[in-house]
Amino acid sequence: MAFKLASSPHLKVHLQTQSVMRRVILCALPGIAAQCYFFGFGVLIQVMLAIVVALAAEAAVLALRKRAVLPTISDNSALLTAILIGVAIPPIAPWWLVVIGTLFAIVLVKQLYGGLGQNIFNPAMAAYVMLLISFPVQMTSWSIPTAIAQNPMDLGLTLQAIFGSMSAEQLHLYKLGFDGVAMATPLDTVKTDLSLGLTTSESLSKAIFSDGYGVGWFWVNMAYLAGGLIMLKLKVIRWHISFAILGSLFVCSSFGYLLSPDTHVGPLLQLFSGATMIAAFFIATDPVTAATSVKGRLLFGTLIGVLVYVIRTYGGYPDAFAFAVLLANLCAPFIDYYVKPRTYGHRTGN
């Protein structure tokens, strides 16, 4: 039998950062399109605004640091960060919210540490947490799905809401569902109802859960799942982190639901509502801030999944992925240190 030897790494194609980021962005387009379909033009406006701010901020910082601007901006990392911030912010949130968040992500979280590859935390998630803690009202005022909105917004009204030319009374009117009740996200709705003494089944009987998962959210998560699977097929990401997140979240939520179905959310709602799929495939898999070894990635993903379940169930925030990812980012060096593979030819401990 003949053997063919080759020097490592045994990869046929070497993707540059620019190509990797571009493929990630393209794979995120189905999810962005689904968000626009269910939640209106505001999603696209927030994304475009975040892109403009991110590119301008990165160019300004690079110029101050006397670094080449065009080669760095063209790596598409700032573009991807802006997109993730844009889709995470409520579609009709005021314009200054996305501006502050994007500046924080690019200037403080990314460039302050030296730029791409040097940052400790995921910039988009660090910005999201900063905004959520600083401006909780604006960050939790999510749009109603257009299918059940009492007064759906067109492009003109959306621009008025975002850029502040709409009165508070008008804005409240456009935030009402067809039953005259202002809607929150599905996870937020359940969490609030449970705190008021309702059971899970009673909460799920509301109009926002007419499809069982929260109108629009199931299809948004399915779209991001499809994009994530395409990234796996293209070998843009590896499966370990994403599947560890989804697997650990499924196991924890199944166990909790079996113990107390009246006070715990079932596993399918946990997986197909909120930011589950976009976080599992597009955020947690960031190679800069995640663990690197195979065992490390599995532990990293499992940690995120468990933290998400604990915070969603017992914490004060309905969707916990941003906090879970940042906490896991802190643990990534520690995880890699203790699960790094043994060098070939050396015994364990050498």
Side-chain angles (χ1 to χ4, degrees):
M1 180 180 295
F3 294 93
K4 183 178 179 180
L5 298 178
S7 60
S8 61
H10 307 285
L11 295 175
K12 296 181 180 179
V13 180
H14 298 275
L15 292 176
Q16 296 181 339
T17 301
Q18 182 183 33
S19 299
V20 171
M21 297 295 178
R22 182 171 60 247
R23 292 187 180 191
V24 174
I25 292 169
L26 290 174
C27 290
L29 291 180
I32 298 172
Q35 280 190 243
C36 291
Y37 177 80
F38 286 105
F39 299 104
F41 297 103
V43 176
L44 192 57
I45 295 170
Q46 302 286 10
V47 168
M48 296 303 296
L49 184 57
I51 290 174
V52 172
V53 174
L55 296 180
E58 180 135 299
V61 174
L62 291 170
L64 288 173
R65 296 175 61 197
K66 299 184 180 343
R67 300 291 182 87
V69 174
L70 189 58
T72 302
I73 287 183
S74 62
D75 68 10
N76 294 324
S77 61
L79 181 62
L80 178 58
T81 297
I83 291 173
L84 293 176
I85 293 173
V87 298
I89 287 179
I92 56 174
W95 63 272
W96 48 264
L97 202 66
V98 71
V99 171
I100 293 173
T102 306
L103 287 174
F104 181 84
I106 298 298
V107 177
L108 297 181
V109 184
K110 182 184 178 184
Q111 289 296 334
L112 187 64
Y113 285 91
L116 183 65
Q118 307 299 319
N119 50 290
I120 301 173
F121 300 106
N122 183 292
M125 292 300 94
Y128 181 87
V129 167
M130 183 276 293
L131 291 174
L132 184 60
I133 294 174
S134 304
F135 310 103
V137 175
Q138 290 83 358
M139 287 294 291
T140 54
S141 298
W142 197 269
S143 296
I144 306 166
T146 55
I148 59 173
Q150 187 181 69
N151 301 284
M153 282 189 177
D154 58 18
L155 178 58
L157 290 171
T158 303
L159 289 169
Q160 290 180 39
I162 293 174
F163 292 99
S165 59
M166 182 180 290
S167 67
E169 293 75 14
Q170 287 177 306
L171 188 58
H172 176 71
L173 179 64
Y174 285 107
K175 287 182 178 180
L176 297 180
F178 67 82
D179 55 359
V181 177
M183 296 292 181
T185 62
L187 292 173
D188 192 15
T189 299
V190 174
K191 194 170 190 64
T192 301
D193 289 345
L194 291 176
S195 68
L196 296 175
L198 276 68
T199 65
T200 303
S201 58
E202 289 172 338
S203 180
L204 296 179
S205 65
K206 292 187 174 181
I208 194 174
F209 296 105
S210 59
D211 64 349
Y213 298 92
V215 175
W217 290 97
F218 172 79
W219 294 108
V220 168
N221 275 275
M222 286 296 292
Y224 282 119
L225 172 60
L229 294 177
I230 293 173
M231 287 199 297
L232 289 174
K233 178 67 175 178
L234 296 175
K235 301 187 186 303
V236 175
I237 61 173
R238 298 186 179 183
W239 62 269
H240 309 88
I241 293 176
S242 303
F243 281 73
I245 290 173
L246 299 179
S248 58
L249 181 57
F250 179 84
V251 170
C252 290
S253 55
S254 296
F255 186 71
Y257 187 72
L258 288 174
L259 285 178
S260 180
D262 288 337
T263 58
H264 288 72
V265 176
L268 292 181
L269 185 60
Q270 292 274 13
L271 292 178
F272 293 102
S273 188
T276 303
M277 294 302 170
I278 187 174
F281 289 97
F282 293 89
I283 295 172
T285 53
D286 173 21
V288 175
T289 56
T292 55
S293 63
V294 172
K295 290 182 180 179
R297 288 193 294 268
L298 289 172
L299 287 173
F300 182 83
T302 301
L303 176 63
I304 292 175
V306 173
L307 286 173
V308 166
Y309 176 74
V310 171
I311 297 173
R312 279 182 175 181
T313 306
Y314 305 107
Y317 296 95
D319 199 338
F321 265 104
F323 293 94
V325 168
L326 294 183
L327 290 171
N329 290 161
L330 279 174
C331 298
F334 177 83
I335 292 172
D336 276 336
Y337 179 82
Y338 282 100
V339 300
K340 60 184 177 182
R342 179 171 58 87
T343 306
Y344 183 76
H346 293 265
R347 294 178 181 177
T348 303
N350 289 353

